[in-house]
Amino acid sequence: MGMSKKIYPKDNSALRVQPGVTQPSNLNPELSTGLHRFKKEKPSTEAFLKGIRAGNRSMLGRAITLIESELVGEKETARKLINLCLPYSGKSVRLGITGVPGAGKSTFIESFGLQMIARGKKVAVLAIDPSSTRTKGSILGDKTRMEALSTHPGAFVRPSATSGTLGGVARATRESIILCEAAGFDFIIVETVGVGQSETAVAQIVDFFLLLMLAGGGDELQGIKRGIMEMADLVVINKADGDNVRKAGLAKKEYENALHLFPALANGWAPQVITASAVFRTGLDAVWEQIETYVKLMRLNGWFDKHRQQQDLFLLRESINQSLSSAFFENEAIKGLVKGYKQQITEGKLSPYEAAQKLLEKYFAEMKK
Amino acid sequence: MGMSKKIYPKDNSALRVQPGVTQPSNLNPELSTGLHRFKKEKPSTEAFLKGIRAGNRSMLGRAITLIESELVGEKETARKLINLCLPYSGKSVRLGITGVPGAGKSTFIESFGLQMIARGKKVAVLAIDPSSTRTKGSILGDKTRMEALSTHPGAFVRPSATSGTLGGVARATRESIILCEAAGFDFIIVETVGVGQSETAVAQIVDFFLLLMLAGGGDELQGIKRGIMEMADLVVINKADGDNVRKAGLAKKEYENALHLFPALANGWAPQVITASAVFRTGLDAVWEQIETYVKLMRLNGWFDKHRQQQDLFLLRESINQSLSSAFFENEAIKGLVKGYKQQITEGKLSPYEAAQKLLEKYFAEMKK
């Protein structure tokens, strides 16, 4: 193996490491996945593709790490890999799940994911939290929360603590979906937290958007962003168990009334409200029924593919617009001017449009240099 | 006058026009406003400013036309005029009103506007419809719908049938507000139709957003865009008169329940639902009370000015981003490539991100030329 050459000097008597006791695998998970063997030696894109196509989870995990990488050299490899995987992608159902902290997302995804596996699906979970500054340690904590699912041979659970731009997070997730699909996963769950702007980005890369709520009359919803309810294809009121069943039923009626006030969706779908208990695994069949009906109907009326095409063209436009905007605001000459203009604007001395025009003129002159 | 030189040839005996009978002013409104006298001769920006500051409505109307103009020469004059008016602006309350067609917006604005005049306010109405292909004739028709208000000396009513981009419409409206404020109007109503995307743009240029609804259990709302209800600072259920009073009361409860499900606004304001009848002029006091309370509270907690500053900085960013995007997609080299890439994307042969990257590389290379 290539790595042994680096560890042991030519005269390998002096630094030979004493073999220790076996560590529990969670202390250094890379050892148990075999990842350490590739630390210095990168597989070729072809080797990546082969591993992914064979359903090798550690290879899939490494490929996603590659995609999330900010290193220029790795970006080029990632680009090639995506292109190789693209022909094998597109055949899954992509499910977005969001909800406030405390709604029981992890437990719900674990219960629902295991149910999907029991139905013969291969389930991948991509958990994203763009605002996160979590260490690798707490990501592992997340994995532990879905222990039964993440250790199941039919599942793949991948938490991402990316801290990039919203566009960057959406891109990494969208490309991770391509890789997971190429690896044969046919049910992909994208989980977000519900408090930031990531939901709008995630809605653009999934087929069906599920909003996980709690009973309790509105107070628990303070944390959820306005506009998210209107993005939902299904509202699930979780923790409808024990003493909470009656309250969950009341909340269901409230949400039904609220959804009734929203205009119909363009695709003809009328979002429903369902009560469920992830812990007691009740209501999960009804959730699947909703998703299944949706997919069938949307395939029948042509919306399913049309929606994905619209999403991709939207991502093209968005990706370009975000790059243009970054290039502008990160331009050194512009940076030097913006602060002063902003000051004049907030003091009411300069119109924002006038400031925009001046900055644009400066920028386009700079670009010619 | 300058214009007589153009009409009458040096030998002015041959073409002297026979004086006719007096026309009703609505046949050629420009004659009654004196606008015809300036047809060929543009006033200087200083003359514009003087006229606007003196509250000359025809001068204000012409200045708005100048702002809406797409002519390069006029844009420069408009820019100068805005800068001259800017120090006199900012002192009004800016009210956005939207609702589906049929909600009775014109009648409501007329009744409410007259009530505001009775309270000592000077009221300007800017009615925008970006999707409109209406002729000048039907704009005049719009004016006629608010006849009592538009002919009142304390009011100024200006319908704009601009067909530009959303950003362009927002800009023209934002700058029209500056002119109206410089002309002494202290209550400015911006009206939109509620079916397009213009509401989001208008929300960025007003202090308070009023949503006009009808009773009837949701069916009438099919025409309203999702997300608009969440932008409202006040929901008014109009036509709460005669047989409709009871139904309006029920609708009020329904909307209150729905609003209750939305999280609190960042500024601490809890949007209310009010029933009113614009025709019978009931409930209008309550509407004003809501707006007055809002303005007082937001001035007290500092949100009023902070919100306007945030809006202006948002407009700066948006204006720049839109210009960058237009410059990109209108670039001839890019135009030639985009169609083919889009085709490859919808066929699943190319990732939208890869296409974006290729196009951006091409664009930045073009820019250097």
Side-chain angles (χ1 to χ4, degrees):
Chain A
M1 283 197 304
M3 204 172 170
S4 52
K5 282 177 199 151
K6 305 260 174 188
I7 291 180
Y8 303 114
K10 268 173 190 153
D11 167 19
N12 61 12
S13 62
L15 282 170
R16 176 150 290 178
V17 175
Q18 184 71 19
V21 293
T22 312
Q23 286 186 334
S25 66
N26 63 335
L27 280 188
N28 194 346
E30 282 189 348
L31 284 171
S32 60
T33 57
L35 275 187
H36 64 296
R37 287 185 289 156
F38 301 103
K39 260 281 145 89
K40 298 279 164 182
E41 217 180 321
K42 288 266 154 64
S44 64
T45 47
E46 287 73 20
F48 261 127
L49 178 68
K50 210 178 154 191
I52 289 170
R53 291 292 293 150
N56 181 326
R57 275 161 187 68
S58 74
M59 211 59 147
L60 176 59
R62 291 190 70 200
I64 294 178
T65 305
L66 187 73
I67 279 171
E68 292 171 347
S69 168
E70 294 294 320
L71 300 173
V72 177
E74 306 219 318
K75 277 187 177 171
E76 183 56 23
T77 318
R79 203 184 61 76
K80 279 185 193 156
L81 182 58
I82 296 294
N83 282 343
L84 287 172
C85 289
L86 211 52
Y88 305 106
S89 74
K91 290 175 197 83
S92 77
V93 169
R94 303 162 186 169
L95 171 69
I97 295 187
T98 197
V100 284
K105 283 188 299 299
S106 293
T107 315
F108 180 85
I109 290 170
E110 170 146 276
S111 296
F112 189 65
L114 288 170
Q115 200 209 39
M116 296 307 296
I117 288 172
R119 287 179 191 276
K121 301 280 180 196
K122 290 184 73 188
V123 178
V125 179
L126 304 168
I128 60 173
D129 182 358
S131 63
S132 172
T133 50
R134 293 182 297 181
T135 62
K136 283 194 178 181
S138 63
I139 297 182
L140 289 171
D142 252 21
K143 252 194 177 166
T144 314
R145 280 196 296 146
M146 298 186 205
E147 204 172 3
L149 189 65
S150 61
T151 57
H152 196 289
F156 174 77
V157 178
R158 169 76 185 203
S160 292
T162 32
S163 56
T165 61
L166 206 55
V169 172
R171 175 181 183 150
T173 311
R174 177 70 181 81
E175 294 183 336
S176 299
I177 289 175
I178 292 174
L179 299 186
C180 290
E181 288 174 344
F185 291 96
D186 49 10
F187 199 81
I188 295 171
I189 299 173
V190 181
E191 178 199 357
T192 47
V193 175
V195 289
Q197 294 191 287
S198 49
E199 287 66 34
T200 323
V202 167
Q204 286 299 332
I205 54 175
V206 297
D207 304 312
F208 189 93
F209 206 79
L210 188 158
L211 178 59
L212 208 63
M213 292 289 210
L214 287 171
D219 274 22
E220 286 86 344
L221 309 181
Q222 300 290 331
I224 209 150
K225 212 190 117 210
R226 287 193 159 226
I228 288 182
M229 202 159 83
E230 300 199 47
M231 280 164 35
D233 296 303
L234 175 66
V235 176
V236 176
I237 299 168
N238 193 21
K239 305 192 181 175
D241 44 45
D243 294 348
N244 221 17
V245 170
R246 206 187 63 89
K247 250 168 69 182
L250 291 173
K252 177 174 144 75
K253 284 215 181 79
E254 258 192 285
Y255 281 110
E256 279 169 349
N257 286 340
L259 285 174
H260 177 68
L261 291 175
F262 295 147
L265 291 165
N267 57 13
W269 181 252
Q272 303 294 306
V273 185
I274 283 177
T275 58
S277 165
V279 171
F280 292 92
R281 305 202 176 173
T282 59
L284 300 180
D285 285 335
V287 172
W288 169 238
E289 216 170 82
Q290 283 283 313
I291 299 170
E292 204 181 21
T293 307
Y294 179 89
V295 173
K296 270 186 192 157
L297 278 176
M298 295 308 134
R299 286 223 164 102
L300 214 67
N301 69 16
W303 174 265
F304 196 85
D305 289 334
K306 198 182 142 203
H307 183 223
R308 284 194 174 178
Q309 287 174 6
Q310 284 177 348
Q311 287 181 326
D312 277 348
L313 295 181
F314 175 85
L315 291 175
L316 170 71
R317 223 167 36 240
E318 273 301 287
S319 177
I320 287 169
N321 287 340
Q322 283 175 11
S323 296
L324 291 171
S325 185
S326 303
F328 180 91
F329 286 105
E330 283 161 18
N331 181 291
E332 287 304 324
I334 295 301
K335 266 189 189 168
L337 291 171
V338 162
K339 209 185 157 188
Y341 280 150
K342 281 189 176 175
Q343 184 67 28
Q344 280 181 275
I345 290 169
T346 49
E347 284 168 4
K349 288 176 185 162
L350 184 66
S351 141
Y353 299 106
E354 169 108 14
Q357 196 176 319
K358 284 182 174 177
L359 286 169
L360 285 161
E361 278 164 15
K362 174 79 180 165
Y363 179 68
F364 285 117
E366 284 288 314
M367 297 287 290
K368 286 211 186 299
K369 281 183 187 169
Chain B
M1 287 196 305
M3 203 170 170
S4 51
K5 282 179 199 152
K6 305 258 172 184
I7 291 180
Y8 303 114
K10 268 173 189 151
D11 167 20
N12 62 12
S13 61
L15 280 171
R16 177 148 290 179
V17 175
Q18 185 73 15
V21 293
T22 311
Q23 286 186 333
S25 67
N26 63 336
L27 282 188
N28 194 347
E30 282 189 347
L31 284 170
S32 60
T33 59
L35 276 189
H36 65 294
R37 286 185 290 157
F38 300 103
K39 260 281 145 90
K40 299 276 167 186
E41 219 180 323
K42 291 266 152 66
S44 64
T45 46
E46 288 72 20
F48 262 127
L49 177 68
K50 210 178 155 191
I52 288 169
R53 291 290 295 150
N56 180 326
R57 275 160 189 68
S58 74
M59 210 59 147
L60 176 59
R62 290 190 71 197
I64 293 177
T65 305
L66 187 72
I67 279 170
E68 292 171 346
S69 168
E70 293 294 319
L71 300 173
V72 178
E74 306 218 318
K75 277 186 176 175
E76 183 53 25
T77 319
R79 203 183 60 77
K80 278 186 194 154
L81 182 57
I82 296 294
N83 282 343
L84 287 173
C85 288
L86 212 49
Y88 305 105
S89 73
K91 291 177 196 81
S92 76
V93 169
R94 304 162 185 170
L95 170 70
I97 294 187
T98 197
V100 286
K105 283 187 300 298
S106 293
T107 315
F108 180 85
I109 290 169
E110 171 145 278
S111 295
F112 189 65
L114 289 169
Q115 200 210 39
M116 295 308 295
I117 289 172
R119 286 178 192 277
K121 300 282 179 195
K122 290 184 71 188
V123 178
V125 180
L126 304 168
I128 60 172
D129 182 359
S131 63
S132 174
T133 51
R134 294 181 297 183
T135 62
K136 282 195 177 180
S138 63
I139 297 182
L140 289 172
D142 251 23
K143 250 191 177 168
T144 315
R145 281 195 295 148
M146 298 185 206
E147 204 171 4
L149 189 65
S150 61
T151 57
H152 196 288
F156 174 76
V157 178
R158 168 76 185 205
S160 292
T162 31
S163 55
T165 61
L166 205 56
V169 172
R171 176 180 183 150
T173 311
R174 177 68 181 83
E175 293 183 338
S176 299
I177 289 175
I178 293 173
L179 299 185
C180 289
E181 288 174 345
F185 292 95
D186 49 11
F187 199 80
I188 296 172
I189 299 174
V190 181
E191 178 199 358
T192 48
V193 175
V195 290
Q197 295 192 287
S198 49
E199 287 68 31
T200 323
V202 167
Q204 286 299 333
I205 54 176
V206 297
D207 304 312
F208 189 94
F209 206 77
L210 187 158
L211 178 58
L212 208 63
M213 292 289 208
L214 286 172
D219 275 21
E220 286 87 345
L221 309 180
Q222 300 291 329
I224 207 148
K225 213 191 117 209
R226 286 190 161 230
I228 289 183
M229 202 159 84
E230 302 199 46
M231 281 164 37
D233 296 303
L234 176 66
V235 176
V236 176
I237 299 168
N238 193 21
K239 305 192 183 177
D241 43 47
D243 295 345
N244 221 17
V245 170
R246 207 188 61 92
K247 250 168 69 183
L250 291 174
K252 176 175 146 77
K253 284 215 182 79
E254 258 192 285
Y255 282 110
E256 280 169 348
N257 286 339
L259 286 174
H260 177 67
L261 291 175
F262 295 146
L265 291 165
N267 56 15
W269 181 252
Q272 303 293 306
V273 185
I274 283 177
T275 58
S277 166
V279 171
F280 292 92
R281 305 200 177 175
T282 58
L284 301 180
D285 285 336
V287 172
W288 169 238
E289 215 168 83
Q290 281 285 313
I291 298 169
E292 203 181 23
T293 307
Y294 179 91
V295 173
K296 269 186 194 159
L297 278 176
M298 296 305 135
R299 286 221 163 104
L300 215 64
N301 68 17
W303 174 265
F304 195 86
D305 288 335
K306 198 183 141 201
H307 183 223
R308 284 193 173 179
Q309 287 175 5
Q310 283 176 348
Q311 287 181 327
D312 277 348
L313 295 181
F314 174 86
L315 292 174
L316 170 70
R317 223 165 39 239
E318 273 301 287
S319 177
I320 287 169
N321 287 339
Q322 283 174 12
S323 297
L324 291 172
S325 186
S326 304
F328 180 90
F329 287 104
E330 283 160 19
N331 180 291
E332 287 304 324
I334 295 301
K335 265 189 189 167
L337 291 172
V338 161
K339 210 186 157 187
Y341 280 150
K342 281 189 176 175
Q343 184 67 26
Q344 282 181 271
I345 289 169
T346 49
E347 285 168 2
K349 290 176 186 162
L350 183 68
S351 138
Y353 298 107
E354 168 107 16
Q357 197 177 319
K358 285 182 174 176
L359 287 168
L360 285 161
E361 279 164 15
K362 174 79 181 164
Y363 179 67
F364 285 118
E366 283 289 315
M367 296 288 289
K368 286 210 184 299
K369 281 182 187 171

